[in-house]
Amino acid sequence: MKDVMDILKKNLGMEENDEEKEENETIIVPEHSFYEIILMKTSNLDDFDYALSQVVDSKNPIIMDMTLLEKDYPEDFKIAAEKLKSFRDTKGGEAILLCQNGKSVIIVTPPEIKLIRK
């Protein structure tokens, strides 16, 4: 019976090829229906702490411009770097430096979102 159905599908142009079968089989459904990416400038350590708490609490990625923090408060910038390292080690989140030419822009994601480096 399956052979008859396959012949009918082929003759009617309804035959599925192998590529379509693979696409149908690999469906990825995220936990969230969507992710909000928050853009933020951190001018002090409180802003940084707030941004990091948003990543943990709301599970949304944040792109942070830390240029002002680095230029105005270098000691706080070092503390923020340590907190970011701790976040990566304890929470399993990720952080990548996006831009360094005169600016320090990073993206921080919760563990549910993986960043692919190419």
Side-chain angles (χ1 to χ4, degrees):
M1 184 70 171
K2 182 172 175 16
D3 294 334
V4 174
M5 292 301 290
D6 290 340
I7 292 170
L8 284 173
K9 285 182 181 179
K10 184 177 181 180
N11 289 335
L12 294 174
M14 297 172 36
E15 181 179 273
E16 293 180 70
N17 60 28
D18 291 338
E19 292 176 1
E20 290 177 352
K21 286 182 183 178
E22 280 185 30
E23 288 178 335
N24 291 337
E25 291 174 3
T26 55
I27 298 174
I28 299 172
V29 179
E31 283 183 23
H32 290 260
S33 57
F34 63 92
Y35 288 99
E36 295 176 353
I37 298 176
I38 301 166
L39 305 172
M40 179 178 222
K41 285 187 177 185
T42 55
S43 56
N44 56 42
L45 201 52
D46 291 335
D47 290 346
F48 178 82
D49 290 340
Y50 175 75
L52 208 55
S53 71
Q54 288 300 305
V55 172
V56 173
D57 296 340
S58 66
K59 304 211 183 296
N60 286 323
I62 292 186
I63 297 174
M64 281 191 276
D65 183 353
M66 298 180 57
T67 307
L68 293 174
L69 182 64
E70 182 180 22
K71 288 181 180 176
D72 295 343
Y73 306 101
E75 290 302 315
D76 287 349
F77 183 75
K78 289 179 184 177
I79 293 169
E82 289 299 319
K83 287 183 177 188
L84 194 56
K85 184 176 187 252
S86 174
F87 166 76
R88 291 173 66 188
D89 294 341
T90 59
K91 304 287 185 192
E94 293 191 44
I96 293 178
L97 182 65
L98 297 176
C99 172
Q100 191 175 12
N101 297 340
K103 290 191 171 223
S104 294
V105 180
I106 62 171
I107 183 167
V108 182
T109 64
E112 295 82 9
I113 299 175
K114 297 297 175 198
L115 298 173
I116 299 172
R117 296 167 180 94
K118 287 190 177 186

